């Protein structure tokens, strides 16, 4: 393999050397025009900065950390809820806090958002930040940092959060209903992620956030049956559950609104057990188990099941990528909301 790589590099150098020789010989007879300088185009995420609030609100991160810590201490399930809330925000219109807007027809009122939690945590953080630094720190930045801090509090990795996102002014319920709900096929998931500049590795890694958190029994009703009706035909579950695990779930799921842990082994610990569970047919959602069955994702699942440090390190990388999805950073983009629930009144 090493010999092949050296050969390939040598070939590239040879080809480019020949091209350079051709250019040199032609320039002797034909004067070359001076190339026009290319415009230095920055992407929106390039305008994010780790020092964005260094002078305008230096206490912002500390406030967020302290508030998240206090809430998670009272209810540890809020950690997973904040991570999920961040994902739902970034999955629709990018990370612009549109999920926080609370009005008729907004993402927050969508069917897919019924079980989202953590809004009160963000509201409390925003209120405190506004006291210290009015009209300075965006709700989008607060939610992004809160998801990071929640991850750390339950044993997950640390990563630096670049700031400078602005808050969106538009939130549409039907768009929120396109967010994956746990029953899609892997091709649909890959396409959903790729549309947001996230790759197959990011899909498998971010799914690992299911190492903590809960799901309603309603979301797995079809998983608890060998066969189910899909609207037209009787279908056999393509990724059946471990028989013992299924019996446990049936006992816990007496009602559709009951909750079960996404990780049936270590539900309160941020670890790579989620991937080990798939190998034992204990992926709670069909999308979880599907990652182990699909040839495009199964090698990644197998690697993460045996390498906990790989999961931790890459989770931080993928969360940074998630937090940079379609951010609003331009001068005329978005706003800094005074209240995360509402767009600012027109002046």
């Amino acid at each position: 393999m090493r010999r092949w790589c050296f050969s390939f590099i040598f070939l590239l150098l040879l080809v480019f050397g020949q091209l350079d020789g051709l250019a040199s010989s032609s320039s002797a007879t034909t004067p070359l025009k001076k190339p026009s300088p290319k415009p230095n185009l920055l992407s929106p995420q390039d305008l994010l900065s780790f020092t964005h609030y260094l002078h305008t609100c230096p206490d912002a991160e500390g406030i967020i950390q302290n508030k998240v810590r206090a809430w998670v201490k009272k209810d540890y399930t809020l950690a997973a809820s904040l991570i999920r809330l961040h994902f739902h925000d970034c999955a629709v219109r990018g990370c612009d806090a549109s999920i926080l807007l609370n009005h008729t027809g907004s993402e927050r009122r969508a069917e897919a958002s019924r079980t989202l939690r953590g809004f009160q945590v963000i509201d409390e953080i925003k209120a405190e930040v506004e006291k210290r630094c009015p009209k300075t720190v965006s709700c989008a930045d607060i939610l992004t940092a809160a998801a990071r801090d929640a991850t750390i509090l339950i044993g997950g990795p640390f990563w630096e959060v670049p700031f400078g996102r602005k808050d969106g002014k538009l939130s549409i319920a039907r768009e929120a209903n396109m967010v994956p709900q746990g029953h899609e096929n892997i091709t649909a998931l890959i396409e959903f992620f790729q549309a947001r500049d996230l790759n197959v590795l990011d899909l498998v890694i971010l799914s690992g956030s299911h190492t903590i958190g809960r799901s309603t029994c309603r979301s797995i009703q079809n998983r608890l049956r060998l066969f189910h009706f899909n609207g037209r035909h009787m279908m056999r579950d393509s990724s059946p559950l471990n028989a013992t695990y299924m019996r446990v779930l049936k006992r816990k799921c007496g009602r559709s609104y009951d909750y079960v842990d996404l990780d049936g082994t270590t539900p309160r610990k941020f670890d790579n057990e989620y991937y080990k569970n798939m190998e034992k047919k204990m992926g709670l959602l069909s999308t979880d188990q599907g990652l182990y069955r699909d040839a495009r994702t199964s090698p990644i699942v197998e690697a993460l099941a045996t390498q906990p440090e790989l999961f931790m390190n890459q989770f931080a990388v993928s969360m940074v990528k998630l937090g940079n999805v379609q951010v609003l950073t331009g001068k005329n983009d978005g706003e800094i909301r005074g209240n995360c629930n509402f767009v600012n009144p027109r002046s």
Side-chain angles (χ1 to χ4, degrees):
M1 174 63 77
R2 184 178 297 173
R3 184 180 302 167
W4 181 90
C5 288
F6 282 132
S7 299
F8 181 70
I9 293 170
F10 177 77
L11 180 61
L12 286 176
L13 290 172
L14 180 62
V15 170
F16 283 115
Q18 289 174 339
L19 290 175
D20 184 57
L22 288 173
S24 298
S25 61
S26 63
S27 63
T29 57
T30 306
L32 295 177
K33 292 182 178 180
K34 185 177 181 180
S36 57
K38 293 181 179 180
N40 184 21
L41 299 177
L42 295 175
S43 67
Q45 70 184 54
D46 291 333
L47 298 177
L48 298 176
S49 168
F50 296 121
T51 60
H52 185 77
Y53 297 120
L54 181 61
H55 301 295
T56 57
C57 195
D59 296 331
E61 280 198 270
I63 294 170
I64 297 169
Q65 290 168 6
N66 290 335
K67 290 293 184 181
V68 171
R69 184 184 297 113
W71 277 93
V72 172
K73 186 176 181 180
K74 289 188 292 185
D75 180 2
Y76 85 96
T77 66
L78 278 171
S81 296
L82 287 169
I83 297 170
R84 184 179 176 221
L85 187 61
H86 175 52
F87 175 79
H88 275 250
D89 179 42
C90 296
V92 181
R93 294 185 170 271
C95 306
D96 67 345
S98 55
I99 190 63
L100 303 179
L101 290 174
N102 192 11
H103 59 75
T104 302
S106 67
E107 295 169 31
R108 184 168 172 174
R109 304 284 186 92
E111 177 65 19
S113 304
R114 280 185 317 106
T115 56
L116 292 180
R117 302 167 62 230
F119 297 103
Q120 191 175 351
V121 180
I122 304 303
D123 286 344
E124 188 172 298
I125 294 171
K126 178 63 172 175
E128 183 64 27
V129 169
E130 284 296 301
K131 290 179 184 176
R132 305 275 190 95
C133 324
K135 302 177 182 179
T136 302
V137 181
S138 70
C139 301
D141 276 347
I142 289 173
L143 180 53
T144 303
R148 186 270 312 273
D149 295 338
T151 302
I152 295 169
L153 287 169
I154 50 175
F158 168 86
W159 64 89
E160 290 279 359
V161 173
F163 295 113
R165 298 164 192 79
K166 291 186 181 178
D167 302 321
K169 300 179 182 180
L170 195 60
S171 184
I172 303 172
R174 68 174 180 274
E175 294 180 351
N177 287 327
M178 295 187 295
V179 177
Q181 296 296 306
H183 51 73
E184 295 78 10
N185 61 51
I186 301 304
T187 296
L189 290 180
I190 291 174
E191 291 175 350
F192 185 87
F193 273 64
Q194 287 178 338
R196 288 147 183 83
D197 290 328
L198 300 170
N199 57 34
V200 175
L201 176 60
D202 297 319
L203 163 62
V204 180
I205 288 290
L206 294 175
S207 295
S209 62
H210 291 174
T211 182
I212 50 158
R214 304 178 299 170
S215 169
T216 61
C217 290
R218 180 186 181 190
S219 298
I220 60 167
Q221 284 177 333
N222 288 337
R223 297 277 283 144
L224 299 181
R225 309 185 187 103
L226 286 176
F227 294 88
H228 64 273
F229 188 65
N230 75 341
R232 296 177 63 186
H233 308 288
M234 291 301 293
M235 301 286 292
R236 184 181 179 87
D237 194 336
S238 60
S239 51
L241 286 162
N242 172 290
T244 302
Y245 184 45
M246 182 181 285
R247 286 195 292 271
V248 171
L249 292 174
K250 284 184 175 179
R251 284 200 303 270
K252 292 183 176 181
C253 285
R255 297 161 298 188
S256 64
Y257 53 84
D258 287 334
Y259 282 90
V260 286
D261 294 316
L262 285 163
D263 179 346
T265 308
T266 56
R268 297 185 67 149
K269 187 178 179 182
F270 194 98
D271 56 21
N272 68 328
E273 202 69 28
Y274 164 80
Y275 300 104
K276 297 179 183 179
N277 288 340
M278 293 186 205
E279 297 177 332
K280 297 179 285 187
K281 294 185 177 181
M282 290 178 60
L284 184 69
L285 305 177
S286 62
T287 48
D288 293 332
Q289 197 61 47
L291 293 174
Y292 183 65
R293 292 172 56 87
D294 193 283
R296 294 165 292 183
T297 51
S298 59
I300 304 174
V301 171
E302 291 169 358
L304 295 170
T306 59
Q307 301 178 63
E309 288 186 3
L310 176 62
F311 169 54
M312 289 289 191
N313 293 335
Q314 188 57 44
F315 188 81
V317 173
S318 293
M319 283 296 283
V320 170
K321 288 181 66 176
L322 174 65
N324 292 348
V325 170
Q326 298 171 4
V327 290
L328 301 175
T329 55
K331 183 178 180 180
N332 298 317
D333 293 334
E335 63 182 9
I336 306 297
R337 286 183 216 144
N339 184 321
C340 293
N341 295 271
F342 312 104
V343 296
N344 293 334
R346 293 181 180 179
S347 54

